[in-house]
Amino acid sequence: MGRIRNIQRTTGNPYVNLYELDVENSKGHAGKYYLSSRAKCVEDLELSAKKQSPDGVIIYSLYGEKRDRVVLIRQYRYTIDNYIYEFPAGLIEAGEEYHSAAVREMREETGLTLHPIPVDTIYEKPYYTTIGMTDECCATVYGYADGEIRADMQEISEEIEVVLADRDEVRRILREERVAIVAAYMLLHFLADEEPFAFLQERHCE
């Protein structure tokens, strides 16, 4: 098992920072490792606190009376200088429970009302996004959405288009568009399963 000799924060940004680690692996090789984190100080990094808590929440929701459409957002991202299809998502505020965060983020990004459903912890617990470069982890909330699409609660820095996609549109998106990997995996369930949330319900009933 590797060892971390020293940790230094190298940036002072409000939402994400870069940390430089002096490390040594189990073979005795010493070197530098860099990670980005939403932690504001060394003590709050997961590797220091030894505690996992979700930074954000991802929302997989179905829409419509037949629940035959999935709520997606098409968002401009500076990292690729292009638009990408994602699930609605966002950061969890201090002291906020992540199901409540999902309801808030859904309303802010889409104007829709989210009704979360209970699922086994295996499906919603925090999982890591890109562990090779960040300690960020996100919980997933599943549910049904209703209401009318509105954009007036989006942050001024956001460029978001709300998409209510049926199976034909989801197939097109997966073939032709840039898609976030978490959304892509879940959309495969949406395409393959007659009841998209069947995999959740089976586990919940055990």
Side-chain angles (χ1 to χ4, degrees):
M1 183 173 177
R3 288 182 288 180
I4 300 170
R5 301 294 191 183
N6 186 56
I7 311 168
Q8 180 180 358
R9 191 182 74 174
T10 62
T11 59
N13 301 316
Y15 298 112
V16 64
N17 282 287
L18 185 67
Y19 292 81
E20 181 182 279
L21 282 56
D22 294 314
V23 301
E24 181 180 326
N25 69 13
S26 59
K27 299 176 183 178
H29 175 75
K32 299 284 188 181
Y33 196 92
Y34 300 90
L35 73 91
S36 60
S37 178
R38 299 194 183 280
K40 292 181 168 37
C41 62
V42 170
E43 292 74 22
D44 289 342
L45 289 168
E46 182 173 334
L47 62 85
S48 299
K50 305 301 182 185
K51 177 183 176 183
Q52 185 192 39
S53 58
D55 298 285
V57 63
I58 299 167
I59 307 156
Y60 178 16
S61 63
L62 303 179
Y63 183 88
E65 290 184 7
K66 296 182 180 179
R67 295 171 175 173
D68 58 351
R69 287 177 285 173
V70 61
V71 182
L72 299 173
I73 60 171
R74 180 176 178 267
Q75 181 167 199
Y76 175 81
R77 293 292 194 177
Y78 290 109
T79 47
I80 57 174
D81 189 25
N82 213 321
Y83 287 87
I84 186 169
Y85 284 81
E86 308 173 68
F87 283 139
L91 297 179
I92 299 170
E93 297 178 353
E96 188 177 32
E97 194 273 333
Y98 64 82
H99 296 90
S100 299
V103 173
R104 174 183 55 77
E105 285 289 347
M106 177 67 93
R107 181 164 292 279
E108 290 176 358
E109 290 195 349
T110 72
L112 302 175
T113 299
L114 175 70
H115 305 279
I117 60 173
V119 300
D120 191 285
T121 305
I122 192 173
Y123 295 110
E124 65 179 7
K125 63 173 276 193
Y127 288 109
Y128 296 93
T129 53
T130 311
I131 195 61
M133 62 182 295
T134 178
D135 62 356
E136 180 187 66
C137 62
C138 293
T140 305
V141 172
Y142 304 82
Y144 301 107
D146 56 31
E148 300 296 326
I149 293 172
R150 293 172 52 189
D152 57 306
M153 287 180 283
Q154 293 177 8
E155 295 181 12
I156 194 169
S157 60
E158 294 177 321
E159 294 185 44
I160 292 175
E161 173 191 349
V162 182
V163 178
L164 304 176
D166 61 14
R167 283 180 169 83
D168 288 341
E169 178 63 3
V170 165
R171 288 188 185 91
R172 187 200 68 78
I173 289 169
L174 289 173
R175 286 193 183 103
E176 301 177 9
E177 305 287 353
R178 292 169 172 82
V179 184
I181 191 167
V182 173
Y185 285 149
M186 292 297 188
L187 290 174
L188 295 177
H189 276 292
F190 182 74
L191 289 181
D193 301 337
E194 183 176 349
E195 166 50 59
F197 284 171
F199 72 103
L200 302 172
Q201 296 162 358
E202 289 175 7
R203 172 63 63 175
H204 182 62
C205 290
E206 288 182 0

